[in-house]
Amino acid sequence: MHIFLETERLVLRAFTDADVEHLVELDGDADVMRFISGGRPTSREVIRARTLPRLLHVHPCTGNPGYWAAQDKTMGVFLGWFEFRPLDEHSPAVVELGYRLNKAAWGRGYATEGSRALIRKGFTDLGVERVTANTMAVNAGSRRVMEKAGLSFLRTFTGDWPEAIPGSEHGEVEYELTRAAWRGLR
């Protein structure tokens, strides 16, 4: 098991083919998928054909995948995943931060803990200059995590989504944190 990062309570590790069931369960929860697909589950076939290959993809500029399976450090229970993915395959300068955790992990500080650790690693070890994160404007929980992790609101925008879901009429929001701003927070 390739461990990328450990925090006080989390292990972030590389995904494997054995994670399909974890992903089916995670993406099968209507509450987890509310701000992603309007609550519709992702099929096992889509997870195998599209989701898992995306999660396993190694970015040439970092030599790492951009997604990490999150496990409880003590019990080894799968909690979900974190994204820390370069937006340009050939440069680690700008990365997108994201997270998707199961309901049992909500409200326990895991998203903030994992996000802060990834940001620290990005700015100190990976050559990251800017972290960006997006969510639906109405996703108050995710926005709070972004703010607690040190990101600041940048803009509201409207994405070109093939199918509107409840809340999408309010648009999306982008948050960011630069290396210089992060140094000022420490």
Side-chain angles (χ1 to χ4, degrees):
M1 173 172 62
H2 173 219
I3 294 176
F4 181 66
L5 183 62
E6 290 188 45
T7 69
E8 182 181 332
R9 302 179 300 156
L10 296 171
V11 171
L12 302 186
R13 62 161 177 83
F15 275 94
T16 70
D17 290 334
D19 287 308
V20 168
E21 292 307 315
H22 293 137
L23 295 167
V24 169
E25 184 176 329
L26 182 67
D27 284 13
D29 185 311
D31 291 332
V32 169
M33 300 303 287
R34 176 179 171 203
F35 296 113
I36 300 155
S37 66
R40 286 184 314 280
T42 307
S43 72
R44 180 180 309 280
E45 295 73 30
V46 168
I47 287 173
R48 284 184 199 270
R50 282 191 256 164
T51 304
L52 193 58
R54 184 181 80 237
L55 300 177
L56 294 170
H57 174 72
V58 173
H59 297 272
C61 63
T62 62
N64 289 307
Y67 295 87
W68 304 98
Q71 291 181 196
D72 174 90
K73 194 172 188 177
T74 305
M75 303 298 289
V77 174
F78 179 84
L79 300 174
W81 54 255
F82 285 86
E83 171 189 14
F84 203 69
R85 176 182 58 85
L87 294 182
D88 177 339
E89 281 287 302
H90 305 290
S91 171
V94 181
V95 298
E96 183 171 18
L97 172 69
Y99 31 82
R100 186 176 304 170
L101 300 176
N102 64 41
K103 280 192 300 192
W106 292 3
R108 300 182 60 192
Y110 288 122
T112 301
E113 183 177 326
S115 295
R116 285 179 177 164
L118 284 166
I119 289 166
R120 184 180 328 103
K121 186 170 184 72
F123 287 144
T124 60
D125 297 345
L126 302 177
V128 172
E129 294 295 328
R130 179 175 174 260
V131 176
T132 183
N134 303 315
T135 191
M136 288 178 64
V138 296
N139 189 345
S142 189
R143 293 180 74 167
R144 272 193 306 278
V145 169
M146 292 173 192
E147 291 164 0
K148 287 180 182 178
L151 283 77
S152 298
F153 174 79
L154 181 64
R155 67 185 177 118
T156 300
F157 64 98
T158 304
D160 184 22
W161 296 101
E163 192 174 321
I165 62 173
S168 62
E169 67 275 12
H170 300 288
E172 305 250 344
V173 290
E174 180 179 5
Y175 283 70
E176 74 168 351
L177 178 61
T178 63
R179 183 193 301 233
W182 176 76
R183 284 187 180 135
L185 293 173
R186 296 174 49 198

